[in-house]
Amino acid sequence: MLFALKSGVRREECVTLEWTDWNPPFMHVHGTKTDWADRDVPITDLNALRMLERRKFIGGKYIFATRTGKHLHASALLKYMQSEMSNTPTN
């Protein structure tokens, strides 16, 4: 959840993010409403970085994916992020 809140990336943009878009500490956001709105977003929050590293270890094409590897629907993203953040260590 912190990833979306602190980065300004919309849910609809989050669900299409792939690991090829991740070039630490930047995330290339595409698939926006307009082509000129594609951008590189810096990710500096430590909890968000930990969540990304944990997801990368699991594997798959999409950063926010279902258990079968398909990207999440935007409406399911909030629930997914809440579960991920509850698994993030506080230290």
Side-chain angles (χ1 to χ4, degrees), residues 18-89:
E18 300 177 8
W19 287 112
T20 56
D21 299 321
W22 175 236
N23 185 18
F26 295 96
M27 182 70 70
H28 180 72
V29 179
H30 54 87
T32 59
K33 291 181 179 181
T34 59
D35 289 338
W36 59 267
D38 289 3
R39 64 209 182 274
D40 290 326
V41 176
I43 308 299
T44 57
D45 180 76
L46 290 179
N47 286 330
L49 291 169
R50 288 179 186 144
M51 184 272 303
L52 287 168
E53 287 301 320
R54 191 168 58 249
R55 288 294 309 144
K56 190 168 185 176
F57 179 74
I58 294 170
K61 176 181 177 179
Y62 295 101
I63 294 174
F64 302 106
T66 66
R67 289 184 180 150
T68 60
K70 296 179 181 172
H71 70 79
L72 289 174
H73 189 274
S75 63
L77 186 61
L78 181 60
K79 182 178 178 182
Y80 174 83
M81 289 181 157
Q82 287 172 331
S83 90
E84 282 293 311
M85 292 309 296
S86 69
N87 293 325
T88 302

Side-chain angles (χ1 to χ4, degrees), residues 1-14 17 27 29-30 32 37 39-45 48 77 81:
M1 186 162 43
L2 286 174
F3 171 77
L5 289 173
K6 293 193 176 206
S7 67
V9 178
R10 297 180 306 115
R11 285 187 304 172
E12 293 80 6
E13 296 169 336
C14 284
L17 291 173
M27 182 70 70
V29 179
H30 54 87
T32 59
R39 64 209 182 274
D40 290 326
V41 176
I43 308 299
T44 57
D45 180 76
L77 186 61
M81 289 181 157

